[in-house]
Amino acid sequence: MTEYDAASESTQPKVRWQALSSLERRIVGVLAEKAKTTPDAYPLSLNAVCVGSNQKTNRSPIMQIEPADAEEALDRLREMGAVGLIEGSGRVAKYRHYLYEWLGVDKIELAVMTELLLRGDQTIGELRGRASRMEPIADLAALRSILQALAAKSLVLFLTPEGRGQVVTHALYKPREIEALHAKYAGYSASDLQTETDEEGDLPTATPVPRAAATPQNDDALKSEIEELRAQLRQLRDDFEVLSDSHSLLERQFRELTGT
């Protein structure tokens, strides 16, 4: 039975989603990501939740979460109905998400929401490359259709006007955070965005720049090709990181089970 099938058969009541703290968003994003990318190591122990939350790739901002803080956040998420605790399957209690019911989304929509929860605001080109490592998304047109469906559920926000380089994010922020995001992108169009490589060497992240500094429009076909190549490169890096994380997590779980 797949993780999605198990969610569909869950006896958990359907709970309406609500705004989350940055720590809560990171944790549910990690649970959803690992359920899709490393299903053999899912559900996750508290230690695995912390490791996934603190990894330095495919995360923004970088965090250093302590087990005590993660456990408190997980307790709050359980009260909301977004997360469940599984006991009796071993010496270590483990956690799983109920985001399919909690958000009211399907598999592809959850992949998109997961990437937004893990990294926040980003261009649709970046988002497609990152979300495609969990569920296939044919092209940007397909992603726009998914985003429109999520927007209809009030789960995503469009921070810049429609067009190449459009920036989107999820809607699970606290009100003040949403205000800050709208202020960050106020007055900018998609063509006013430049990209710059972050310190981990990840794909460029959308950054608004003054209109006076915006570069002239290049050929649309060339822009599209560059955006797709960047997304593909980021996906390859993420796939490598997932394999590395999976290997480390399995080693830790083996030690927990054997007491070595």
Side-chain angles (χ1 to χ4, degrees):
M1 180 179 292
T2 67
E3 178 257 345
Y4 180 68
D5 292 335
S8 299
E9 295 182 5
S10 169
T11 58
Q12 291 290 316
K14 293 189 177 182
V15 182
R16 196 172 192 176
W17 65 269
Q18 57 188 281
L20 302 175
S21 69
S22 59
L23 177 54
E24 293 161 353
R25 296 193 302 264
R26 175 60 54 84
I27 287 174
V28 293
V30 167
L31 287 170
E33 176 194 48
K34 300 307 181 184
K36 287 181 177 292
T37 59
T38 56
D40 291 342
Y42 176 84
L44 304 184
S45 66
L46 177 61
N47 181 60
V49 169
C50 290
V51 171
S53 297
N54 294 337
Q55 72 181 56
K56 295 183 178 180
T57 57
N58 204 42
R59 305 287 186 267
S60 182
I62 302 301
M63 292 183 172
Q64 191 59 46
I65 296 172
E66 298 297 329
D69 296 328
E71 190 168 22
E72 289 181 4
L74 283 162
D75 287 342
R76 292 193 298 270
L77 289 164
R78 288 174 62 199
E79 291 176 359
M80 297 177 199
V83 166
L85 175 64
I86 299 176
E87 298 177 301
S89 59
R91 293 188 302 170
V92 180
K94 296 186 177 181
Y95 297 88
R96 61 156 298 165
H97 72 82
Y98 292 123
L99 294 185
Y100 287 112
E101 300 93 336
W102 199 67
L103 296 174
V105 295
D106 62 24
K107 292 194 295 185
I108 298 180
E109 289 172 340
L110 183 57
V112 171
M113 286 298 296
T114 297
E115 286 301 331
L116 292 173
L117 287 166
L118 291 173
R119 295 201 65 130
D121 49 308
Q122 53 196 288
T123 68
I124 58 174
E126 293 165 342
L127 178 58
R128 176 182 170 262
R130 291 161 180 161
S132 292
R133 68 193 177 94
M134 291 184 286
E135 298 290 345
I137 301 176
D139 50 32
L140 292 180
L143 176 58
R144 289 191 181 98
S145 177
I146 296 166
L147 290 171
Q148 289 296 336
L150 289 169
K153 300 174 184 178
S154 300
L155 287 170
V156 300
L157 302 171
F158 296 97
L159 298 174
T160 62
E162 186 175 357
R164 200 172 307 284
Q166 184 179 27
V167 178
V168 297
T169 193
H170 63 81
L172 275 65
Y173 295 100
K174 299 292 186 178
R176 288 186 179 179
E177 293 176 295
I178 292 178
E179 291 177 6
L181 279 169
H182 282 303
K184 175 181 177 180
Y185 290 98
Y188 291 97
S189 66
S191 61
D192 292 322
L193 296 173
Q194 70 178 5
T195 55
E196 52 188 39
T197 303
D198 64 27
E199 60 185 15
E200 282 79 39
D202 286 342
L203 269 184
T205 299
T207 305
V209 296
R211 287 183 180 275
T215 57
Q217 290 290 328
N218 295 323
D219 179 76
D220 282 350
L222 179 59
K223 282 187 175 182
S224 179
E225 184 177 353
I226 291 173
E227 189 172 17
E228 290 287 338
L229 288 171
R230 286 171 172 166
Q232 290 172 18
L233 176 60
R234 182 64 181 84
Q235 182 175 350
L236 288 171
R237 288 173 174 167
D238 282 347
D239 287 344
F240 176 80
E241 180 64 27
V242 166
L243 289 173
S244 178
D245 286 349
S246 178
H247 179 266
S248 298
L249 183 57
L250 288 172
E251 279 191 333
R252 281 189 293 273
Q253 291 183 328
F254 177 77
R255 293 193 189 100
E256 290 174 354
L257 291 171
T258 61
T260 59

